[in-house]
Amino acid sequence: MRYEELPGHPGVVAAAVHPNAAAARALAPLLDAAETARAAAFRRPADADRYLVSRVLLRLVLAERVGARPDRLVFAQDPCAGCGGPHGKPRLRDHGAVHFSLSRAGDRVLLAVASVPVGVDVETVPADGVVRDVGAALHPRERAELAALPANARAGAFARCWTRKEAVLKATGVALVRGAADPYVGSGLAPAAVPGLRLADVLLSEGHVAAVAHGTDPASPSGRAVAVS
């Protein structure tokens, strides 16, 4: 399976789903019982492949980071920030100093690994109907920014805003349990400043938009392009 670190974003690696689907299926024995069951539950083969590529990528990269076998990694979850249930931010059970965030959409999977809290999100540019429906949940300033744009520019701006917001909320462990209004991240060509975080857009292929947020210390592991057969 092939993946590479993204230039300008140390610790953020990307993999394309379609070219890696067969390799991910071959490496599926690395997954645990819960991951295997979830992969089998997808009805559409494309969705199952996207999930498999993301989970295999996660195990390969984290195993290299902590010096363990990919199939020996054990995942746990922090308490939910909303209800306190056991479905909050994921973590490595035996390697608490390593933070990670995983996202997948369309033909892209992104993984961020760092020594500080980190969040990453990738989305495909949505249809206009999604912008109208979901955009109402954004911060009032973000809604105003989108409304001021020409109709043909709103979907891309919304996607930028949404990935930034998801990245920030993943980094803080809040997710969307408190809604999508805060914090304000902006929908323009550059993200707004968010106190306590370093937020950056990630350039990907056409049709995909992504962002990454790091904690106050932006240091993250320096990786390299890796090929695993």
Side-chain angles (χ1 to χ4, degrees):
M1 193 166 119
R2 299 191 67 86
Y3 52 94
E4 64 180 359
E5 185 173 280
L6 296 179
H9 300 283
V12 179
V13 297
V17 175
H18 180 69
N20 282 302
R25 291 185 217 115
L27 292 168
L30 296 176
L31 306 184
D32 62 23
E35 292 168 313
T36 301
R38 185 171 179 188
F42 287 101
R43 295 187 177 183
R44 297 178 63 247
D47 294 334
D49 285 343
R50 189 178 301 112
Y51 177 78
L52 282 173
V53 170
S54 70
R55 299 307 298 188
V56 170
L57 174 70
L58 179 64
R59 285 184 172 271
L60 292 177
V61 173
L62 289 181
E64 183 182 37
R65 167 70 171 163
V66 303
R69 283 176 42 176
D71 59 336
R72 295 293 180 87
L73 297 177
V74 179
F75 295 96
Q77 288 182 279
D78 292 330
C80 173
C83 68
H87 48 265
K89 190 173 182 179
R91 58 182 172 84
L92 277 175
R93 191 186 67 184
D94 302 321
H95 304 278
V98 176
H99 301 264
F100 65 90
S101 180
L102 181 67
S103 184
R104 58 185 184 271
D107 194 51
R108 291 291 178 272
V109 174
L110 286 189
L111 169 64
V113 183
S115 57
V116 294
V118 64
V120 72
D121 190 61
V122 58
E123 304 285 346
T124 55
V125 177
D128 292 340
V130 174
V131 177
R132 289 193 300 270
D133 294 342
V134 183
L138 298 176
H139 189 282
R141 289 172 61 189
E142 293 160 351
R143 296 200 304 267
E145 290 167 4
L146 293 177
L149 292 174
N152 62 359
R154 288 176 189 154
F158 170 82
R160 286 195 300 268
C161 180
W162 192 260
T163 57
R164 293 167 184 170
K165 200 169 294 276
E166 284 269 19
V168 167
L169 295 176
K170 288 179 179 181
T172 58
V174 174
L176 289 172
V177 295
R178 298 177 185 171
D182 294 317
Y184 170 75
V185 295
S187 62
L189 296 180
V194 178
L197 293 173
R198 185 188 67 168
L199 177 61
D201 292 336
V202 177
L203 296 180
L204 295 176
S205 60
E206 184 177 357
H208 294 81
V209 180
V212 61
H214 286 90
T216 50
D217 175 4
S220 57
S222 57
R224 61 180 185 279
V226 182
V228 178
S229 57

